[in-house]
Amino acid sequence: MDKVLSNKKIIALYVLPSLLLILAIVYIPIVLTAYYGLNEWNGIGAMTFVGVDNYLALFKDTTFWNSAWHSLLLAVFSGISLLLYLIVAMVLAARIKGANLFRKIYLIPMLLSSVAIAQLWLKIYHPTNGVLNSMLESLGFANPPAWLAESSIVLFALFIPILWQYAGFYILIYYAALKNIPASLEEAAKIDGANALQIAWKIKLPLVMEVIKVTIVLAVVGSLKYFDLIFVMTDGGPNGASEVMASYMYHEAFRAYDFGYGSAIGFFLLVICLAVTWVIRKLTASKDTIQYS
Amino acid sequence: MFRKKGWMLLLAICLVLVAAGCGQNSNESNSGSKETAGESGEKVTVNFMHLWPEGVSAGQNKIVNQIIKAYQDEHPNVTIKQEVLDNEQYKNKLKVLSASNKLPDVGVTWAAGFLQPYVEGKLFTPVDDLLSGELNGKFVSGTTEAYAIDGKTYALPLEFNIAPVYYNKSLFEKYKLEIPQTYEQLKAVAKTLSENGIAPIALGNKDRWTGSLWYMYLADRIAGQQTLSGAINGEGSFMDEGLLQAATEVQTLVDSHAFVKGFNGLSNEEAKSEFLNGTAAMYMMGTWELPNFTTNEDIPKDFRDSVGFFKFPNVEGGKGDINSWVGGPGVGLFVAENSAVKAEAKAFVEYFVTQWGEQAVTGAGVIPATKVDTSSMELPQLYIDLFNEMNQASSITLFADVQMQANAAETHLNMIQALFGKAATPEKFSEEHDKAISDGK
Amino acid sequence: MVTGNVRIRNALSESKPGIGTKLGFSVLYAVLIVVAALQLFPLVWLLFFSLKNNQEVFNLPPLSLPMNPRWENYEKVWSAGNIDVYFFNSVWITVSATVITVMLGSLVTYAVTRMKWKGSSLVLGLFMVAMMIPVHSTLIPLFSLFNKVGLTDHPLSLILSYVAFNMPITIMILLGFYYALPREVEEAAIIDGCSVNRMFFRIVFPMTSSVLATTAIINMIYNWNEFIFVNTFISSDSYKTLTVGVQNFIGQYTTDWGAIGATLMISILPILITFLFLSNRIVEGIAAGSVKG
């Protein structure tokens, strides 16, 4: 068995095409980004090698650390919201009437592009005639806040559409994982007298654990390099209150023409992602993986 | 999942890739456009990248296509290949193309600070020969200068703009308001409107350059045009008393609710719609908005007829001149230095600029950078009035964010948002400006 | 969280209905329906929005009915040229990139989770790191790479980038499922003298149809909505995709929101249909018996 499963030719055949593609298309940019980060470069003229100056400057740059903090907050919220998505997926995967229809409807928002989602939420948050403030005013709240213009709330106001945007993605994955559990397992447990909660906790959860671990990494890494809605809805403002690492990278590289510094931010962002992923995998490591039997 | 050995290997691969990557990047800059260089009669393609998509800038897009068609008819061996991107994507792509030295033969650029890195990187070619040729004397004075660096001109301007304060005449009538002649009167107007539940001024300061206009006018009227220009080009300082006072006045306006609610979170587009809908009474913007107040059929005629404008009023005791404007040329056309078809590209630019002037007035309703005789044309009164104001201007200060180098411009724009949002004091605002501008030198 | 668990229990214990369960069911359905309405909101809003002009979009509440529907927005978009070309490009580029990614991703995941070889965890690590780079950091290096090999303004540059950048996330999702697949089947197959290729294509691949559909949906959505790479690598109209159609309605000084809405509506329909079709492929887990046969 081992002999068959360690056939080098087959392994090479399965892995090499993808690996080479990744190395060319993703790793060359990664390595070049690290290298640009060692230079002073406006992206146009000649580069000047400055060693680790950009990286040192990064450590002293409060704007960067603020944006890193915002990204980290988003990562924490994304991670926590996974629990909610899991519960929704469990309900949808249960054999209740109409579950199929509900599932399809629930996933529709994930089909929308960021451009559309941003426009929708800009209309919801509009300070004078937005849906939210119109509703609050009709409920008797005088002078509700301008959600995207107040430094103290803008970040959280942005988190809601971001989390909502990705809800469908995780519900879909959890749903597929739950559906993949053989029905016979659940039935056997029922015969043994287990109630629904026990089935969910003792049987389903362990079987989708590997998927959950993966989604934690995806959610955290995705949040740390998040860009889209923030860029369209607030552009990192006001006064940098919603600036995240990726938008800061973009502003430095493409607006301020400091491509060297922007690249340093980009590469450091990768290092942070790597470190956080490593921590997550350490924390969630388990001795053995559980399979369906 | 990761083992120690794995990490070592990963590191090794990275190192190999660094070497490969560096090698790859070092011999970058000699690949021009691949078109066959043109001797007369030979087939030539000129790549032209611009930012007037058909869907939005319909007027401009149509003119571009007409000019290209006419040019191709006159020069059957030349094909003009267009690439159209929206503003933000256009700027990004220009940047990416520059890094590989693959600029299109002809493209659109902004003046001064935007232009500078491209000129320093020798990506744009001087077009002085065109200025002394057929186009000699055709440009409105003060327009081509914004595209000149060290005595050479690197692009030819297409538009010329100033920024008046537009106002809603029917709202002013309703509340018995007069056009403010002094800054105190402007504040009084704002107060009356605000008390009546009308947002006095539409401002979309998410875009930041919009707030910059207000600061610049206050600075111009209080400290004077010379002081403002001096501070921006680094000869003077933003710590000047008048400039500090201008920054303080910005915050006074904010405190008196002169601007729409949530202005720091609104885009210019969103703010504009409040003016267009009559929920805000005033709106300061460049003359490129003119079509929306004159000929654009999508906007109700009633509204268009009730739009007027006034000059930013004088501040009592200030050193400003009411005929001094903030504005400047908008976009211009460049020719790439390593274009394989430079001669044809220049010929096309010359043709384009010549044709653009008149057609832009009638077709797009914007004010061109070339001199146009408007006396024989039938034009909306608002257009004619502003056109005349522009010709009588005592000075036109170029938009600060265009004037400054990219880095300083970013600081300026960020500080504008901070100042309006009261996250920065006038002192801090000025300090940061001085620092950014001296760093840029 | 507590209520969520109650909901699940109620949902699952449908076989023994009682008064409490019935009440629970009503609550559950009420919640499900409210959430479904919220999730349908963006689609309805988009439809209304596509039938308004700029002023109506900005000044009327988002869900106000378009008083005189402006179908001319759709006409304008269709006649604005090239939409048909963009549409066709979107379809074939999305489909090919999605198929290649899911196929290659499955091969890699199989080799990593099922076959025995040194360096499998390293390879996996390489794929994971590849999803940590912010996209704007890659634009300049990638453009220069494609420029070197003559692939700028060539659809292959898009397909290669889409495959490479979506590969890591695809593998990550597949991973969680592969870990949970039973090994017994494969062991039996090998003892019967089955080759690795045969085992993968005949046994494992069909067993993962749920997750294949899931990853295909995700890939499809990402590829369909992507525009940064299209704008950067492609300059000829004949190779651009539908998202560029949306971008073309965002101008230097003005933005035609009605037309953007119409473009978004046109562009969401194909993906909505495909999604509804693909999501039916996420089926009940393989009954234990069916695999052996």
Side-chain angles (χ1 to χ4, degrees):
Chain A
M1 159 128 193
D2 278 3
K3 209 172 164 191
V4 181
L5 284 179
S6 48
N7 182 335
K8 291 238 161 56
K9 269 187 205 153
I10 300 270
I11 293 172
L13 192 68
Y14 282 17
V15 174
L16 274 183
S18 313
L19 190 62
L20 290 177
L21 187 69
I22 289 271
L23 289 178
I25 306 283
V26 189
Y27 274 84
I28 288 179
I30 288 181
V31 170
L32 283 177
T33 299
Y35 173 71
Y36 295 153
L38 299 172
N39 288 271
E40 194 180 308
W41 187 37
N42 62 9
I44 295 168
M47 286 188 221
T48 324
F49 189 81
V50 292
V52 292
D53 280 9
N54 281 330
Y55 292 95
L56 288 179
L58 199 56
F59 277 99
K60 284 182 276 181
D61 183 347
T62 49
T63 316
F64 172 74
W65 289 109
N66 274 333
S67 67
W69 168 241
H70 298 154
S71 295
L72 202 67
L73 269 180
L74 177 61
V76 170
F77 277 91
S78 306
I80 295 170
S81 59
L82 288 180
L83 205 58
L84 181 70
Y85 306 149
L86 183 63
I87 291 168
V88 174
M90 280 189 167
V91 172
L92 293 178
R95 266 161 290 158
I96 56 170
K97 269 194 195 128
N100 209 16
L101 180 66
F102 281 126
R103 184 191 77 235
K104 283 177 183 157
I105 294 177
Y106 281 24
L107 300 184
I108 283 177
M110 79 183 266
L111 303 177
L112 298 172
S113 60
S114 292
V115 181
I117 293 177
Q119 288 316 317
L120 170 69
W121 284 86
L122 283 173
K123 302 293 174 299
I124 293 177
Y125 281 141
H126 194 281
T128 44
N129 55 18
V131 182
L132 185 59
N133 280 2
S134 309
M135 233 161 61
L136 288 174
E137 272 165 12
S138 65
L139 289 174
F141 291 94
N143 206 11
W147 302 95
L148 299 178
E150 311 246 350
S151 308
S152 52
I153 42 179
V154 60
L155 195 61
F156 299 98
L158 281 171
F159 284 176
I160 293 169
I162 296 172
L163 297 181
W164 178 77
Q165 180 185 23
Y166 283 96
F169 174 83
Y170 294 108
I171 293 174
L172 178 67
I173 294 175
Y174 289 148
Y175 177 83
L178 289 164
K179 276 289 173 195
N180 221 26
I181 298 172
S184 55
L185 284 181
E186 197 180 318
E187 273 143 30
K190 265 189 192 165
I191 292 165
D192 291 346
N195 65 27
L197 194 62
Q198 283 169 326
I199 293 176
W201 184 255
K202 290 264 174 68
I203 294 177
K204 293 192 171 175
L205 204 61
L207 282 174
V208 295
M209 210 52 201
E210 283 302 324
V211 175
I212 295 177
K213 284 183 196 169
V214 164
T215 53
I216 295 175
V217 173
L218 289 181
V220 169
V221 171
S223 305
L224 288 176
K225 59 170 215 178
Y226 190 78
F227 176 81
D228 292 13
L229 287 188
I230 290 180
F231 178 67
V232 184
M233 290 177 68
T234 63
D235 200 13
N239 320 325
S242 61
E243 190 90 282
V244 290
M245 287 192 281
S247 64
Y248 189 48
M249 181 264 147
Y250 177 85
H251 287 145
E252 287 296 313
F254 284 88
R255 293 255 176 88
Y257 282 68
D258 202 343
F259 208 83
Y261 194 57
S263 297
I265 299 170
F267 188 72
F268 199 65
L269 167 54
L270 181 137
V271 173
I272 291 178
C273 285
L274 207 56
V276 173
T277 308
W278 185 79
V279 171
I280 293 173
R281 298 212 69 98
K282 278 282 155 195
L283 289 177
T284 60
S286 61
K287 274 155 260 146
D288 42 16
T289 50
I290 301 156
Q291 300 167 0
Y292 315 131
S293 53
Chain B
M1 181 161 294
F2 303 119
R3 282 195 239 105
K4 222 176 213 168
K5 232 187 236 170
W7 281 107
M8 294 304 290
L9 241 161
L10 182 64
L11 195 71
I13 290 180
C14 287
L15 286 174
V16 172
L17 279 167
V18 173
C22 299
Q24 206 159 49
N25 203 52
S26 53
N27 53 357
E28 197 49 55
S29 58
N30 43 11
S31 50
S33 306
K34 298 243 162 60
E35 284 72 27
T36 30
E39 287 155 39
S40 60
E42 210 174 320
K43 286 275 177 207
V44 166
T45 304
V46 176
N47 289 308
F48 174 34
M49 201 162 102
H50 66 81
L51 38 61
W52 297 290
E54 187 179 356
V56 186
S57 312
Q60 285 94 329
N61 186 282
K62 205 170 145 203
I63 297 170
V64 170
N65 279 305
Q66 278 167 359
I67 296 176
I68 288 176
K69 189 170 176 299
Y71 189 78
Q72 286 176 343
D73 286 348
E74 278 177 39
H75 305 81
N77 63 322
V78 180
T79 311
I80 309 289
K81 195 176 163 213
Q82 293 184 68
E83 182 181 359
V84 196
L85 292 159
D86 75 86
N87 193 11
E88 185 80 35
Q89 293 297 321
Y90 179 87
K91 285 179 182 161
N92 282 357
K93 181 142 187 177
L94 205 61
K95 186 96 211 267
V96 173
L97 293 177
S98 304
S100 293
N101 205 355
K102 286 281 286 180
L103 284 179
D105 303 307
V106 178
V108 168
T109 178
W110 288 261
F114 184 91
L115 188 77
Q116 195 165 353
Y118 295 92
V119 171
E120 282 168 2
K122 297 194 173 50
L123 294 182
F124 292 174
T125 197
V127 287
D128 295 286
D129 45 338
L130 295 183
L131 278 176
S132 54
E134 202 181 312
L135 287 167
N136 192 9
K138 288 269 177 70
F139 285 98
V140 176
S141 66
T143 52
T144 53
E145 286 83 344
Y147 295 87
I149 287 172
D150 295 335
K152 284 182 183 165
T153 310
Y154 288 90
L156 298 182
L158 293 174
E159 303 168 6
F160 196 37
N161 298 295
I162 50 175
V165 180
Y166 301 100
Y167 73 103
N168 187 325
K169 286 180 195 164
S170 43
L171 280 176
F172 268 52
E173 257 166 53
K174 190 172 169 193
Y175 298 107
K176 305 198 168 44
L177 297 167
E178 297 286 325
I179 292 178
Q181 302 297 327
T182 65
Y183 178 63
E184 286 308 314
Q185 285 174 11
L186 176 67
K187 285 205 276 192
V189 165
K191 188 158 174 276
T192 312
L193 287 163
S194 172
E195 280 165 4
N196 285 291
I198 302 283
I201 299 163
L203 170 67
N205 207 29
K206 184 175 101 180
D207 294 343
R208 306 175 300 176
W209 55 267
T210 42
S212 172
L213 295 178
W214 283 90
Y215 170 75
M216 283 189 74
Y217 269 114
L218 281 165
D220 179 281
R221 296 294 188 263
I222 295 169
Q225 197 268 342
Q226 304 258 314
T227 314
L228 175 62
S229 290
I232 291 174
N233 65 30
E235 284 157 18
S237 162
F238 276 88
M239 295 305 279
D240 173 89
E241 206 176 313
L243 293 176
L244 278 171
Q245 195 196 331
T248 312
E249 277 306 328
V250 165
Q251 295 192 328
T252 316
L253 283 176
V254 170
D255 283 337
S256 60
H257 302 290
F259 301 107
V260 289
K261 181 176 174 181
F263 56 83
N264 255 355
L266 293 177
S267 66
N268 179 39
E269 246 348 90
E270 289 170 299
K272 183 170 78 194
S273 78
E274 303 214 8
F275 179 65
L276 292 178
N277 195 45
T279 50
M282 294 175 273
Y283 178 53
M284 183 195 286
M285 198 36 62
T287 38
W288 57 77
E289 283 296 342
L290 271 172
N292 281 333
F293 309 139
T294 53
T295 52
N296 187 346
E297 297 289 339
D298 287 340
I299 290 165
K301 191 167 185 321
D302 284 354
F303 175 80
R304 281 183 275 144
D305 288 344
S306 74
V307 176
F309 79 92
F310 59 83
K311 307 177 208 181
F312 196 94
N314 272 332
V315 177
E316 265 167 68
K319 298 173 193 156
D321 170 0
I322 197 151
N323 282 321
S324 161
W325 295 85
V326 173
V331 293
L333 294 182
F334 71 82
V335 172
E337 172 68 33
N338 75 348
S339 162
V341 289
K342 222 190 258 180
E344 285 79 4
K346 279 190 173 178
F348 173 65
V349 166
E350 183 175 41
Y351 184 85
F352 192 98
V353 173
T354 322
Q355 296 294 311
W356 176 270
E358 198 162 311
Q359 298 199 32
V361 178
T362 50
V366 294
I367 301 177
T370 40
K371 289 176 187 160
V372 178
D373 178 18
T374 54
S375 57
S376 60
M377 298 180 198
E378 189 136 334
L379 293 164
Q381 195 55 43
L382 192 67
Y383 183 98
I384 295 171
D385 291 346
L386 275 162
F387 192 83
N388 292 337
E389 286 295 346
M390 191 182 277
N391 290 330
Q392 296 160 17
S394 62
S395 69
I396 293 176
T397 312
L398 188 57
F399 305 111
D401 61 313
V402 177
Q403 224 181 120
M404 295 175 184
Q405 290 193 29
N407 234 319
E410 269 301 288
T411 306
H412 165 70
L413 294 170
N414 286 336
M415 288 318 293
I416 282 288
Q417 206 178 44
L419 182 73
F420 275 77
K422 306 194 74 181
T425 59
E427 287 75 23
K428 165 114 168 135
F429 175 86
S430 293
E431 270 169 29
E432 293 286 326
H433 272 82
D434 281 350
K435 206 168 90 198
I437 288 167
S438 66
D439 278 357
K441 284 191 173 175
Chain C
M1 296 302 101
V2 177
T3 52
N5 285 335
V6 173
R7 259 183 253 148
I8 296 159
R9 185 163 62 215
N10 288 337
L12 288 175
S13 52
E14 63 181 310
S15 49
K16 342 164 211 175
I19 294 174
T21 320
K22 269 193 180 156
L23 185 72
F25 254 91
S26 318
V27 174
L28 173 68
Y29 273 99
V31 173
L32 283 175
I33 288 167
V34 169
V35 177
L38 284 176
Q39 299 293 79
L40 272 180
F41 170 75
L43 210 57
V44 177
W45 163 78
L46 203 54
L47 178 67
F48 287 1
F49 163 31
S50 70
L51 295 172
K52 295 176 183 172
N53 69 10
N54 259 7
Q55 276 173 295
E56 288 162 333
V57 167
F58 279 109
N59 297 317
L60 302 175
L63 272 190
S64 63
L65 279 167
M67 291 320 274
N68 39 352
R70 293 170 198 274
W71 295 105
E72 63 263 32
N73 283 340
Y74 285 85
E75 271 175 54
K76 190 189 305 180
V77 169
W78 268 115
S79 60
N82 290 321
I83 287 280
D84 46 345
V85 178
Y86 295 161
F87 191 89
F88 178 71
N89 288 337
S90 267
V91 171
W92 82 265
I93 289 174
T94 298
V95 169
S96 19
T98 303
V99 169
I100 297 173
T101 316
V102 171
M103 195 60 229
L104 287 181
S106 293
L107 289 171
V108 172
T109 315
Y110 181 75
V112 167
T113 57
R114 285 307 205 254
M115 302 186 75
K116 295 189 169 54
W117 46 294
K118 277 182 193 166
S120 68
S121 55
L122 162 74
V123 166
L124 192 54
L126 281 174
F127 279 106
M128 279 177 62
V129 173
M131 66 178 192
M132 298 174 183
I133 183 88
V135 65
H136 287 102
S137 292
T138 67
L139 294 181
I140 286 182
L142 265 187
F143 183 87
S144 114
L145 174 72
F146 286 135
N147 187 21
K148 278 268 179 317
V149 294
L151 278 182
T152 44
D153 203 16
H154 192 293
L156 207 53
S157 63
L158 293 180
I159 296 179
L160 289 176
S161 314
Y162 292 171
V163 172
F165 280 93
N166 288 334
M167 183 77 77
I169 203 166
T170 305
I171 293 177
M172 291 284 284
I173 297 169
L174 289 169
L175 208 61
F177 287 75
Y178 271 75
Y179 276 133
L181 282 181
R183 278 175 200 270
E184 286 82 353
V185 189
E186 293 162 78
E187 280 162 14
I190 287 173
I191 291 164
D192 289 352
C194 186
S195 75
V196 178
N197 278 326
R198 198 179 151 81
M199 186 161 62
F200 175 75
F201 286 104
R202 286 294 173 80
I203 301 174
V204 178
F205 203 57
M207 271 166 75
T208 55
S209 68
S210 279
V211 66
L212 288 178
T214 310
T215 47
I217 290 173
I218 289 167
N219 268 287
M220 184 183 77
I221 296 170
Y222 282 5
N223 296 340
W224 186 265
N225 290 330
E226 202 284 327
F227 67 88
I228 297 173
F229 286 154
V230 183
N231 275 331
T232 311
F233 303 146
I234 302 294
S235 46
S236 300
D237 263 342
S238 52
Y239 298 132
K240 288 193 172 178
T241 62
L242 210 48
T243 43
V244 173
V246 181
Q247 297 292 321
N248 276 353
F249 285 93
I250 301 176
Q252 191 186 7
Y253 302 126
T254 48
T255 303
D256 186 345
W257 291 111
I260 291 181
T263 321
L264 288 173
M265 273 311 284
I266 293 172
S267 69
I268 200 172
L269 277 178
I271 200 164
L272 182 68
I273 294 163
T274 323
F275 161 74
L276 292 177
F277 169 75
L278 269 180
S279 100
N280 282 334
R281 304 295 304 168
I282 307 173
V283 284
E284 297 286 325
I286 351 87
S290 70
V291 195
K292 283 174 188 153

